[in-house]
Amino acid sequence: MRNKYFIIFITCLGLFILLPPLPEQASLTSVFRLTEEPAVIVQGTSGSALTVNISFGDVEVEQWIQGLSKPYPLLFVDMDWAERFPETVRLIAEKNIPVGLLGVKGIVYEQNTPLFTQQLKRFETTFGVKPLWFRTVDEVFPQSLHTQLWEAEVNALGSSVVWRGGDSPPVIEGEILSIPHHRDDHILLTELKKVYKGRTFTTIEDMLFKTTVKTKKIPE
């Protein structure tokens, strides 16, 4: 009887050692379509999610990222900016902060079709993964661009509210707040504490994977 249990134990131990480890949750959601047809996600149904578009900033941005705590906002990063500040990119990776690809104005993709593919490759080279999220800087998604996004299995994410400072916007259930941080369009990142008052933020993944998303169609 003891020999029987010993053989079972050895067999189970061997299977445990030989079987490959389960992938982390992040890798399971690295590429995933959240919509069943071409659309831009603009809102969930509950909670609040914070997104920040970054194409400008050095020390201030790095210090702000160092001070972030969970639940983290979703950072949309411009690739020119990311390639200029590899230490900040490394910090984002070390803290496992969710990051998406920030593009240029939507109309540019109609004039320069290969641009999205080029940006996507640069993102993968810099961050080591394909982005789950993409946003143009003006949240305009031409049909030709969306076709590329759909084929690449990258989700188009807009926002419910763009906040550029001043009084905190009223709370909307399921809202996706967008904060621009560009050379000619930015606020002090310390001002973000205003939007935290009266809100309980969650990650964009928790909001959208657990609830029904609200979308708008891509213009033809």
Side-chain angles (χ1 to χ4, degrees):
M1 181 65 71
R2 290 182 178 177
N3 289 339
K4 179 180 178 181
Y5 287 133
F6 180 75
I7 292 172
I8 294 173
F9 172 76
I10 293 298
T11 302
C12 293
L13 180 62
L15 289 173
F16 177 79
I17 294 173
L18 293 175
L19 286 173
L22 291 173
E24 296 181 1
Q25 184 177 3
S27 65
L28 293 176
T29 60
S30 59
V31 178
F32 188 85
R33 287 198 186 109
L34 293 179
T35 58
E36 297 180 355
E37 59 182 7
V40 180
I41 299 167
V42 294
Q43 193 174 340
T45 54
S46 64
S48 299
L50 180 64
T51 66
V52 182
N53 303 339
I54 303 176
S55 67
F56 168 77
D58 184 0
V59 176
E60 180 200 5
V61 174
E62 183 177 3
Q63 291 177 342
W64 174 69
I65 291 173
Q66 285 176 337
L68 286 177
S69 58
K70 295 181 179 180
Y72 295 129
L74 170 60
L75 307 182
F76 280 98
V77 299
D78 170 82
M79 289 316 303
D80 288 340
W81 175 86
E83 291 167 351
R84 286 198 304 272
F85 301 106
E87 290 299 322
T88 305
V89 168
R90 191 173 297 113
L91 178 61
I92 292 171
E94 288 174 354
K95 298 189 70 166
N96 200 27
I97 298 173
V99 60
L101 172 58
L102 179 65
V104 295
K105 290 184 177 181
I107 192 173
V108 178
Y109 295 95
E110 291 185 307
Q111 303 165 345
N112 184 357
T113 305
L115 178 59
F116 170 71
T117 301
Q118 295 165 2
Q119 292 175 326
L120 191 61
K121 289 180 179 178
R122 291 169 67 189
F123 185 99
E124 292 184 66
T125 298
T126 301
F127 290 95
V129 293
K130 181 185 289 187
L132 176 61
W133 314 104
F134 176 84
R135 173 184 286 166
T136 58
V137 72
D138 57 358
E139 299 191 16
V140 173
F141 297 84
Q143 181 61 44
S144 57
L145 171 61
H146 188 75
T147 298
Q148 291 182 288
L149 289 167
W150 188 253
E151 292 174 352
E153 296 187 309
V154 177
N155 294 286
L157 188 71
S159 66
S160 316
V161 179
V162 178
W163 187 69
R164 291 183 167 87
D167 294 335
S168 177
V171 178
I172 303 171
E173 278 298 308
E175 64 187 355
I176 300 172
L177 271 68
S178 173
I179 312 296
H181 195 74
H182 314 300
R183 180 177 297 276
D184 299 321
D185 184 13
H186 69 277
I187 62 171
L188 291 176
L189 291 171
T190 52
E191 288 190 44
L192 285 177
K193 60 185 178 183
K194 292 181 181 179
V195 298
Y196 278 84
K197 293 181 178 179
R199 285 179 169 84
T200 301
F201 281 113
T202 185
T203 65
I204 194 77
E205 288 85 359
D206 284 345
M207 173 191 283
L208 297 181
F209 280 112
K210 294 180 181 179
T211 63
T212 303
V213 299
K214 296 183 180 181
T215 63
K216 63 180 179 182
K217 295 297 180 73
I218 301 296
E220 296 291 342

